[in-house]
């Protein structure tokens, strides 16, 4: 099983090549991802604390990632009101999203397969959904996550993982010195409640232009109303190209993260809401996804 299969309190430990990862059945959480022994994710030492975590520390996000305006949408003329948990809006699936559900977890070669059956009406969403997440370590030192879902009636499904990366190896340091490169010419700008306006706006001449690479701290210091409204980065980038999306580099550790995805958008959040035991801007959340408020 790819280098052994130890487990503790249903915590699954994966080892392959230069990588070691830990996966929890609660929320399909990727609790740890180490390369050459350097931890790259924010983590809680006590796994029981994940049951009350409000930061979305590295779980799957569903049934619908990101925000839904006023918590309602229409399908075939029928209006559905779903759970609201960020003022009048729905965030990351509602009050008890898939990040708070216990998934069935089974070992597969070099990884795990997690499954969850979401019943019709859960958090107000229509249709039964059978969801699966495959998490594996590859031969070329990559963490691969594959999300899939089947349903018995039309329903919005937008899955991602809310992974918080700090590549310095020290969770008490910020990511403000990290260098971010993003293959995105436009963003989906937001208005009140961080709900998209429906436009696509060029990153030219804005703090959101990371196409040639830029320091996160420098970008956050630039004036822009969207940065001010969110208190930092909390924006969906519209990806260009085939699959390569993002590169993140820590000058502290020399570790580089490269992200590839087949999703059209990528939400980047600069951790401005993190509180103890973490530090403000202590990680960068990277969330490949369908566009927010797409329903």
């Amino acid at each position: 099983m790819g280098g052994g299969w130890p487990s503790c309190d249903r915590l699954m430990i994966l080892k392959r090549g230069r990588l070691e990862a830990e996966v929890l059945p609660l929320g399909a959480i990727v609790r740890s991802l180490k390369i050459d022994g350097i931890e790259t994710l924010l983590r809680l030492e006590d796994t029981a604390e994940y049951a009350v975590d409000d930061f979305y520390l590295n779980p799957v996000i569903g049934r619908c990632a990101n925000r839904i305006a006023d918590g309602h949408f229409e399908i075939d003329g029928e209006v559905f009101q779903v759970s609201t948990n960020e003022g009048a809006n729905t965030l990351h699936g509602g009050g008890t999203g898939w990040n708070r559900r216990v998934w069935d977890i089974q070992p597969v070669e070099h990884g795990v397969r997690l499954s969850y059956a979401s019943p019709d009406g859960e958090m107000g969403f229509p249709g039964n959904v059978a969801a699966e997440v495959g998490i594996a370590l590859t031969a070329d030192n990559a963490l691969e996550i594959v999300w899939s879902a089947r349903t018995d009636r039309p329903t919005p499904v937008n899955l991602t993982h809310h992974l918080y990366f700090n590549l310095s190896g020290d969770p008490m340091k910020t990511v403000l010195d990290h260098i971010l490169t993003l293959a995105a010419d436009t963003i989906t700008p937001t208005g009140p409640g961080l709900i998209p306006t429906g436009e696509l706006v060029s990153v030219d001449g804005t703090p959101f232009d990371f196409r040639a690479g830029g320091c996160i701290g420098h970008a956050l210091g630039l004036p822009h109303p969207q940065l001010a409204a969110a208190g930092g980065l909390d924006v969906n980038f519209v990806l260009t190209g085939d699959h390569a999306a993002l590169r993140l580099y820590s000058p502290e550790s020399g570790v580089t993260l490269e992200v590839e995805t087949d999703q059209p958008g990528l939400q980047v959040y600069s951790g401005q809401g993190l509180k103890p035991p973490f530090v403000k801007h202590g990680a960068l959340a990277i969330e490949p996804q369908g566009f927010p408020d797409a329903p």
Side-chain angles (χ1 to χ4, degrees):
M1 289 296 181
W5 198 263
S7 65
C8 178
D9 295 331
R10 302 182 70 202
L11 174 72
M12 297 293 193
I13 300 175
L14 316 178
K15 294 182 180 181
R16 191 178 190 188
R18 298 166 62 195
L19 295 183
E20 179 177 339
E22 299 178 2
V23 182
L24 286 167
L26 174 65
I29 290 168
V30 182
R31 179 173 179 254
S32 172
L33 178 63
K34 295 178 181 177
I35 183 163
D36 299 330
I38 298 174
E39 180 63 73
T40 65
L41 295 175
L42 288 193
R43 55 179 285 173
L44 293 169
E45 292 305 317
D46 183 355
T47 56
E49 294 180 12
Y50 285 99
V52 293
D53 161 49
D54 290 327
F55 299 126
Y56 297 96
L57 279 173
N58 311 324
V60 69
I61 298 296
R63 177 179 301 194
C64 198
N66 217 300
R67 294 171 174 88
I68 299 175
D70 298 321
H72 66 74
F73 51 85
E74 183 177 316
I75 299 177
D76 297 331
E78 184 176 359
V79 176
F80 294 91
Q81 177 66 52
V82 296
S83 168
T84 56
N85 60 326
E86 191 182 57
N89 301 322
T90 299
L91 176 66
H92 294 332
T96 309
W98 289 0
N99 60 300
R100 289 283 176 88
R101 307 296 182 177
V102 176
W103 292 57
D104 179 69
I105 187 168
Q106 299 295 331
V108 297
E109 187 172 14
H110 303 303
V112 294
R113 181 175 60 249
L114 300 110
S115 57
Y116 174 66
S118 176
D120 180 33
E122 183 178 57
M123 295 293 102
F125 287 92
N128 298 289
V129 174
E132 286 194 355
V133 177
I135 300 175
L137 302 180
T138 72
D140 56 351
N141 297 303
L143 174 74
E144 181 182 73
I145 303 179
V146 179
W147 308 284
S148 62
R150 300 186 312 276
T151 184
D152 57 4
R153 63 180 293 190
T155 189
V157 174
N158 182 16
L159 300 182
T160 190
H161 258 75
H162 200 288
L163 298 180
Y164 277 100
F165 286 97
N166 181 325
L167 305 183
S168 73
D170 184 348
M172 292 296 100
K173 293 185 176 179
T174 74
V175 294
L176 297 179
D177 67 338
H178 284 35
I179 306 301
L180 176 64
T181 306
L182 263 169
D185 296 330
T186 56
I187 62 170
T188 54
T190 57
L194 299 181
I195 298 297
T197 63
E199 306 165 277
L200 299 182
V201 172
S202 171
V203 299
D204 287 343
T206 75
F208 309 111
D209 189 354
F210 292 100
R211 291 172 293 185
C215 176
I216 293 173
H218 173 73
L220 295 186
L222 297 175
H224 193 280
Q226 186 145 336
L227 285 179
L233 288 173
D234 194 356
V235 62
N236 174 62
F237 289 84
V238 180
L239 298 177
T240 57
D242 293 330
H243 294 290
L246 177 147
R247 185 177 186 269
L248 187 66
Y249 168 72
S250 167
E252 175 81 15
S253 66
V255 172
T256 297
L257 167 74
E258 294 180 346
V259 175
E260 296 183 355
T261 180
D262 62 359
Q263 296 300 288
L266 193 149
Q267 188 85 11
V268 175
Y269 169 61
S270 56
Q272 53 269 24
L274 290 172
K275 296 178 175 63
F278 307 111
V279 298
K280 182 179 180 180
H281 300 308
L284 192 73
I286 298 171
E287 310 156 57
Q289 60 175 7
F291 290 174
D293 200 31

